[in-house]
Amino acid sequence: MSEEKANDILPESTPVHEEKAVHKTINLTGMYKDWFLDYASYVILERAVPEVIDGLKPVQRRILHAMKELDDGRYNKVANVIGHTMKYHPHGDASIGDALVQLGQKDLLIDCQGNWGNILTGDGAAAPRYIEARLSKFALEVVFNPKTTEWKASYDGRNKEPITLPVKFPLLLAQGVEGIAVGLASKMLPHNFNELIDASIKILKNEEFEILPDFPTGGLADCSKYNDGLRGGKVRLRARIKELDKKSLVINEIPYGTTTSSVIESILKATEKGKIKIRKIDDNTAQNVEIVIHLAAGVSPDQTIDALYAFTDCEIPISPNACVIENEKPRFVGVSEILRISTQNTLSLLQKELEIQLFELNEKWNWISLERIFIEKEVYELIKKCTTDDEINTTIDKGLQPFVKQLIRPVTLEDILKLRKIPIDRISKYNSDKATDLLLAIEDDIKQVQFDLDHIVNYTIAYFERIKQKYGKDRERKTELRNFENIEATRVAVANVKLYVNKEEGFVGYGNGLKQNDYVCDCSDIDDIIAFRNDGTFIVTKVQEKGFVGKDIRHIDVFHRNDERTIYNMVYADGPNGHIYIKRFAVTGITRDKEYNLTKGTKGSRILYFTANPNGEAETITVYHKPKPKLKKLSFDFDFKEIAIKGRSSMGNILTRNPVRKITMKGEGVSTLSARKIWYDDSVHRLNAENRGIYLGEFKEKDKILTITKSGNFRLYNFDLSNHFDDDLISIEKFNPQKPISVIYFDGENQKFYAKRFTLDEEEKKVNVLDEHPDTYMETFSTDWKPRIEIVFDKEFNRRNIENEIVELEDFIGVKGYKAKGKRLTTHFVKNIILLEPVAVEEPAPEESDAEVKLYLDSELGLTEITEGVQGSLFD
């Protein structure tokens, strides 16, 4: 073989002779860059990210187009729909089937039949050969119009598919979408059908609007940081958890994106880790979610609800990322702007439809007029002697010329050819009056269409209102919007470990190696602990199996941040020969694992007396001096309540300048803290002590809160900030056991209004003051001393004209038990009952009963005796 021929066959880089070798360099970096960008662009534009105009991904658009082609009003097998869609979507049947099921589960565009899965339980749909689908009436009305659709060739060039569908509704925001492309992702949360329409109408009226997500699984949502759906925003979702009784909870709605299985699994994992204590879980979910959680004995339902939100999938965050395709480019845009674009697109499509309709009406009017002239003026008679097509066309054109001014536009060859096709029997049976009536009707239609075009904004508003009235009846908001409080995990975690301490060596923890040492308390493995040492220093650190916190520990306990109610009483010596100081302080904000000093810092300082008081108690102590010449008073008593509570860094007050031999507790005192001021924040449905919401009053240890619900439930709570309240709460106030409660209710059995007055005992339980008849309901209530109502009688149904009656309930009925039926208000038909301003009365101060005073005195004496008995083991 010759060299010339060899070089033709071999690659350029393969030499025949070494001295004539030719090398070609290929730049892989450039190839990778070009090919990767091509691939990334394809995935972004053709697969993962929705188009802002119609709100659909390509696969969704192709599915809907294929279903429209198959549509004959009957259901089609999903397998058939998938096969038909494959003419347009080149990525296989699996991706089409998944996308079709997701569209069907959104319950908007597709009418489903068969087992389409369950978004609540996570169950998948049946095989495509077993389930059926057709387009919904909403989709047929809102999504399709071939006259306003732009088309392109399908991937293989055999068919036409829409570039975008002419959707006249904010479909993208209603359905939501999630897609991951190359280098970016899109996550649009679903919104409420009716709220989107209302917001679109406000846009057309140039009014302010706000749209927030609404999820098909219901639940609760905090959208305070939604950020208009843009990157950086966050939505917190919670399950709806209710207290069935003191021993069980029920979950009726779950966060969007979770399933009953995933929620239950997360609860079981939290239980295994000891974060919550439950006895068992029953999953009774069928059409609706029902997960019943049975609590372990002695576990607080309110604390468990908070723990479920803190440690399980009962609360999850979702981060939206509003990314769409606009003008064939990805764009990050807020949901408000997306709604504006969609609304403007709807207006443009409606305008285009009206323009097409106007053109068609004008063409119809023009043709009927042309046909009328052709027949009534007997233009057809002129073509009898014509022998060729051109001659016929020319003759008809000339015959129509005198009447062209009566038409909308000039006569075209197409018009002439259409006139030639009119059958002779239609000419002979032509009815001029009928044609005139038809023309008048078309003219009325033209005027209406032209009016709508001139008032296109009002026409679009009316369109949205019609869509809402027609399809929005069963699409009320499912997710309740709330502001969530931040749950501190350490406050709601179950005490799942036992804490032990070796005070001499300074080790503390819950590991097996410390169990032979002193037991401190039960705590959670995520708690912080605070350790005070005898040298006057302390440290806060995280609980661990075994940790070193410093030798010679004086006191150790679980630490709660921002706890202003726990007050520490301390006496310390300033150095070996210094004065004796006394101080009271709280420990609130600190840095974990940082050492703090409670003394003046003098070397050799030591704590002589120390107590931790959970509610600011101030005990009395006896101080014993060391004997020395000229010291007459060897001991004296001192009450801690004489010392003001200050910061932990204050040095304190001088207790004595003489050396001290020992200090003992003489008597335990009472709290020196003022009653706690409590507010109720109705935005998060929780109590707080931070001046947020409705002020309920000042609460002492035994004070209670009274709550009233729409369903007639009355319940007393303590003022624990972790309390949860019923969703239908209509009243909350500080409870006064002396004040009667007045209730006006409609008795379902007798169909009459009754009044009752009663008091509640101070047990924290829920009572319903109504009977169980389904028609019974509470009309109004009052917790005033002397309430008044006005009865408005229904003059239409009463036999005689009766004037409205004002009733003072205190005089009308006496105070009885809440189970009493009460007294019928009237025998006449009642139209309305109005609660009036109560009679002014000076409210008596709550009295403390003899039994309560005696109990208090007995407790105080008992505490003194007990304290002296246990003092050595607690404070030595």
Side-chain angles (χ1 to χ4, degrees):
M1 182 182 294
S2 66
E3 289 185 15
E4 193 174 59
K5 199 165 187 181
N7 287 332
D8 289 338
I9 297 173
L10 296 174
E12 293 184 17
S13 58
T14 306
V16 175
H17 299 292
E18 187 175 350
E19 64 273 10
K20 292 187 177 182
V22 179
H23 298 278
K24 183 179 181 182
T25 302
I26 300 175
N27 192 336
L28 294 177
T29 304
M31 293 172 61
Y32 173 80
K33 180 179 178 181
D34 294 340
W35 293 347
F36 181 79
L37 285 178
D38 290 343
Y39 169 71
S41 300
Y42 177 78
V43 173
I44 292 170
L45 298 177
E46 295 294 330
R47 296 182 69 174
V49 183
E51 169 66 48
V52 70
I53 296 299
D54 60 7
L56 298 168
K57 294 181 183 180
V59 64
Q60 296 171 329
R61 186 180 304 115
R62 289 160 178 162
I63 288 170
L64 294 174
H65 173 59
M67 292 184 71
K68 178 61 175 166
E69 287 186 330
L70 292 171
D71 182 60
D72 58 1
R74 297 179 295 178
Y75 288 101
N76 287 286
K77 288 285 186 184
V78 166
N80 188 29
V81 175
I82 292 172
H84 200 74
T85 306
M86 289 181 70
K87 296 194 301 183
Y88 308 104
H89 193 68
H91 300 292
D93 59 334
S95 62
I96 297 172
D98 291 343
L100 180 55
V101 169
Q102 290 176 16
L103 275 177
Q105 290 177 342
K106 294 181 187 296
D107 191 29
L108 186 61
L109 299 177
I110 297 178
D111 184 5
C112 305
Q113 183 167 273
N115 177 16
W116 280 68
N118 191 330
I119 60 172
L120 300 177
T121 62
D123 295 334
R129 61 185 179 275
Y130 297 125
I131 55 177
E132 298 178 322
R134 65 183 177 189
L135 291 171
S136 67
K137 293 180 180 179
F138 172 79
L140 291 170
E141 181 170 348
V142 170
V143 175
F144 303 98
N145 188 342
K147 296 177 181 178
T148 58
T149 303
E150 296 183 23
W151 305 89
K152 66 177 181 180
S154 62
Y155 71 95
D156 60 1
R158 290 189 174 94
N159 300 282
K160 288 192 308 178
E161 64 173 300
I163 297 175
T164 58
L165 287 171
V167 179
K168 300 184 290 295
F169 181 79
L171 192 60
L172 175 58
L173 299 178
Q175 292 192 133
V177 71
E178 185 171 357
I180 299 176
V182 178
L184 59 82
S186 178
K187 188 161 190 173
M188 309 283 294
L189 305 184
H191 296 71
N192 182 263
F193 184 94
N194 293 324
E195 291 177 5
L196 288 173
I197 291 179
D198 293 339
S200 294
I201 293 174
K202 287 182 179 180
I203 290 172
L204 294 169
K205 293 180 178 179
N206 292 320
E207 297 177 359
E208 294 294 325
F209 71 96
E210 182 183 30
I211 52 172
L212 296 171
D214 183 28
F215 303 98
T217 55
L220 313 174
D222 183 349
C223 301
S224 57
K225 297 181 180 178
Y226 184 42
N227 193 30
D228 204 34
L230 290 166
R231 286 181 296 181
K234 184 174 73 171
V235 176
R236 293 167 62 192
L237 304 180
R238 283 184 178 177
R240 190 181 295 276
I241 309 175
K242 295 182 179 179
E243 181 182 332
L244 284 181
D245 49 50
K246 290 294 183 181
K247 297 181 180 179
S248 56
L249 305 172
V250 61
I251 300 176
N252 297 121
E253 297 172 6
I254 57 177
Y256 179 71
T258 66
T259 64
T260 54
S261 300
S262 66
V263 169
I264 291 173
E265 184 178 353
S266 70
I267 295 173
L268 294 175
K269 285 183 178 178
T271 304
E272 291 172 1
K273 293 178 181 179
K275 298 295 188 293
I276 55 177
K277 283 186 179 180
I278 63 171
R279 188 162 51 86
K280 67 173 182 175
I281 299 179
D282 294 330
D283 187 4
N284 302 329
T285 302
Q287 184 176 357
N288 299 313
V289 172
E290 185 179 337
I291 302 172
V292 181
I293 302 172
H294 301 275
L295 305 180
V299 175
S300 165
D302 288 328
Q303 184 177 348
T304 303
I305 291 174
D306 282 343
L308 288 170
Y309 289 142
F311 301 117
T312 75
D313 285 349
C314 289
E315 178 180 332
I316 63 169
I318 294 183
S319 299
N321 187 14
C323 179
V324 296
I325 300 299
E326 185 178 14
N327 298 325
E328 297 186 354
K329 293 180 181 178
R331 180 189 173 195
F332 294 95
V333 57
V335 295
S336 299
E337 182 61 23
I338 291 174
L339 185 61
R340 288 189 178 94
I341 294 171
S342 173
T343 304
Q344 182 58 45
N345 181 62
T346 299
L347 185 146
S348 300
L349 287 171
L350 290 173
Q351 183 175 1
K352 192 172 182 180
E353 288 179 357
L354 287 173
E355 289 171 350
I356 293 171
Q357 186 180 355
L358 181 62
F359 173 79
E360 291 174 345
L361 286 171
N362 283 327
E363 285 296 303
K364 187 176 182 181
W365 186 94
N366 193 76
W367 166 251
I368 294 173
S369 299
L370 185 63
E371 186 183 54
R372 183 178 182 180
I373 293 169
F374 183 73
I375 296 173
E376 288 185 350
K377 303 303 181 180
E378 297 182 348
V379 177
Y380 59 87
E381 293 287 349
L382 302 176
I383 63 175
K384 289 183 178 178
K385 297 181 180 180
C386 297
T387 56
T388 64
D389 286 342
D390 292 340
E391 190 178 356
I392 293 172
N393 295 340
T394 303
T395 302
I396 292 175
D397 188 29
K398 288 181 179 179
L400 295 173
Q401 286 304 314
F403 312 103
V404 169
K405 292 183 179 181
Q406 300 178 21
L407 302 175
I408 294 176
R409 59 172 175 77
V411 179
T412 63
L413 178 60
E414 186 179 352
D415 295 330
I416 294 172
L417 294 175
K418 192 174 179 181
L419 289 171
R420 289 176 56 182
K421 294 179 181 179
I422 299 175
I424 192 65
D425 59 339
R426 185 172 162 194
I427 295 175
S428 61
K429 295 178 182 179
Y430 186 76
N431 189 325
S432 179
D433 293 337
K434 187 176 180 180
T436 301
D437 293 340
L438 187 57
L439 286 172
L440 290 174
I442 294 173
E443 288 171 2
D444 290 339
D445 291 341
I446 290 173
K447 289 178 182 179
Q448 182 61 52
V449 173
Q450 188 60 56
F451 178 85
D452 292 338
L453 278 170
D454 295 338
H455 303 83
I456 187 61
V457 173
N458 291 334
Y459 179 80
T460 307
I461 291 173
Y463 166 81
F464 277 123
E465 290 174 342
R466 186 173 67 254
I467 292 297
K468 180 180 177 180
Q469 183 180 8
K470 195 171 182 181
Y471 300 106
K473 291 181 181 179
D474 298 323
R475 299 187 183 276
E476 294 80 11
R477 169 168 281 277
K478 293 183 178 180
T479 304
E480 182 180 348
L481 298 174
R482 284 191 187 177
N483 291 326
F484 296 160
E485 78 288 358
N486 291 317
I487 298 174
E488 192 174 336
T490 55
R491 289 190 176 273
V492 299
V494 171
N496 57 349
V497 295
K498 295 184 180 297
L499 187 67
Y500 299 91
V501 62
N502 185 329
K503 291 184 177 181
E504 291 75 21
E505 298 296 327
F507 289 99
V508 61
Y510 55 85
N512 293 330
L514 288 170
K515 289 187 177 180
Q516 70 275 14
N517 295 289
D518 296 336
Y519 166 75
V520 179
C521 65
D522 287 356
C523 67
S524 167
D525 57 5
I526 64 171
D527 276 333
D528 288 334
I529 53 173
I530 185 168
F532 296 89
R533 309 183 192 106
N534 276 319
D535 62 359
T537 59
F538 78 92
I539 188 172
V540 174
T541 187
K542 195 170 183 61
V543 170
Q544 47 191 309
E545 286 193 23
K546 185 177 182 180
F548 181 73
V549 294
K551 294 183 178 182
D552 200 15
I553 296 173
R554 179 80 181 200
H555 173 81
I556 190 165
D557 204 349
V558 174
F559 176 71
H560 299 291
R561 290 182 180 273
N562 303 317
D563 180 8
E564 298 178 351
R565 304 291 293 185
T566 298
I567 304 300
Y568 301 97
N569 300 338
M570 185 178 88
V571 179
Y572 72 93
D574 181 31
N577 303 310
H579 299 328
I580 309 303
Y581 286 84
I582 186 169
K583 64 188 291 186
R584 301 183 73 204
F585 60 94
V587 179
T588 52
I590 51 88
T591 301
R592 186 186 289 165
D593 297 323
K594 178 181 178 181
E595 189 172 286
Y596 295 88
N597 200 327
L598 298 169
T599 70
K600 293 175 66 177
T602 306
K603 188 176 181 181
S605 296
R606 67 190 187 281
I607 293 177
L608 303 178
Y609 178 88
F610 188 93
T611 59
N613 306 280
N615 200 33
E617 291 82 1
E619 68 271 25
T620 302
I621 59 174
T622 300
V623 181
Y624 296 93
H625 286 138
K626 290 181 179 180
K628 70 176 185 177
K630 297 183 181 181
L631 182 62
K632 297 180 181 180
K633 195 174 183 180
L634 294 178
S635 67
F636 67 93
D637 295 339
F638 188 86
D639 196 337
F640 266 99
K641 70 181 180 183
E642 298 179 16
I643 299 295
I645 299 171
K646 297 183 179 180
R648 53 176 166 78
S649 59
S650 68
M651 67 179 184
N653 297 350
I654 295 177
L655 178 64
T656 178
R657 290 178 171 82
N658 299 309
V660 171
R661 179 169 59 89
K662 71 173 182 177
I663 300 175
T664 62
M665 181 186 291
K666 181 178 181 181
E668 186 163 330
V670 296
S671 174
T672 58
L673 301 178
S674 60
R676 196 171 193 186
K677 293 182 178 181
I678 298 294
W679 286 262
Y680 174 73
D681 189 344
D682 58 355
S683 63
V684 298
H685 300 271
R686 299 296 286 269
L687 301 176
N688 69 87
E690 294 143 17
N691 199 15
R692 298 195 317 269
I694 305 166
Y695 179 61
L696 299 182
E698 295 184 356
F699 287 78
K700 296 183 179 179
E701 182 180 359
K702 295 182 180 180
D703 288 336
K704 297 289 190 296
I705 292 173
L706 171 65
T707 64
I708 306 173
T709 66
K710 291 180 181 178
S711 53
N713 288 322
F714 288 68
R715 182 173 179 180
L716 297 179
Y717 290 85
N718 59 28
F719 55 95
D720 191 330
L721 302 187
S722 66
N723 286 337
H724 285 254
F725 299 96
D726 292 332
D727 291 337
D728 59 344
L729 184 71
I730 57 175
S731 177
I732 182 169
E733 63 182 65
K734 185 177 180 181
F735 174 61
N736 185 345
Q738 301 174 28
K739 188 191 292 186
I741 301 169
S742 305
V743 170
I744 308 298
Y745 71 97
F746 182 78
D747 185 74
E749 183 178 356
N750 298 324
Q751 297 291 299
K752 296 294 181 184
F753 284 96
Y754 281 74
K756 59 163 51 177
R757 302 187 78 211
F758 55 89
T759 58
L760 295 174
D761 56 33
E762 296 188 50
E763 294 184 17
E764 293 177 22
K765 64 179 181 179
K766 183 188 294 185
V767 297
N768 195 303
V769 302
L770 307 178
D771 59 44
E772 297 181 355
H773 195 282
D775 295 333
T776 298
Y777 64 90
M778 184 168 63
E779 175 68 19
T780 188
F781 68 92
S782 174
T783 57
D784 294 308
W785 287 97
K786 294 185 176 183
R788 298 187 307 149
I789 61 169
E790 181 180 0
I791 305 174
V792 181
F793 294 103
D794 197 326
K795 297 179 180 180
E796 182 179 351
F797 292 98
N798 290 307
R799 294 182 179 178
R800 58 190 176 88
N801 192 12
I802 307 173
E803 295 297 326
N804 295 348
E805 182 180 352
I806 294 178
V807 177
E808 293 189 9
L809 293 177
E810 183 186 31
D811 300 332
F812 181 76
I813 185 173
V815 178
K816 300 180 180 180
Y818 71 86
K819 294 182 180 180
K821 188 173 183 65
K823 184 177 179 181
R824 188 165 59 184
L825 275 178
T826 178
T827 58
H828 303 296
F829 291 101
V830 176
K831 183 177 183 180
N832 193 14
I833 295 177
I834 303 171
L835 187 65
L836 305 175
E837 286 292 324
V839 178
V841 62
E842 184 176 351
E843 186 169 334
E847 297 179 359
E848 195 169 26
S849 67
D850 293 340
E852 290 174 329
V853 175
K854 183 174 185 297
L855 176 62
Y856 173 80
L857 293 173
D858 288 349
S859 298
E860 187 177 30
L861 292 172
L863 285 170
T864 303
E865 295 167 359
I866 292 171
T867 301
E868 292 177 353
V870 300
Q871 180 182 339
S873 63
L874 288 176
F875 304 111
D876 279 357

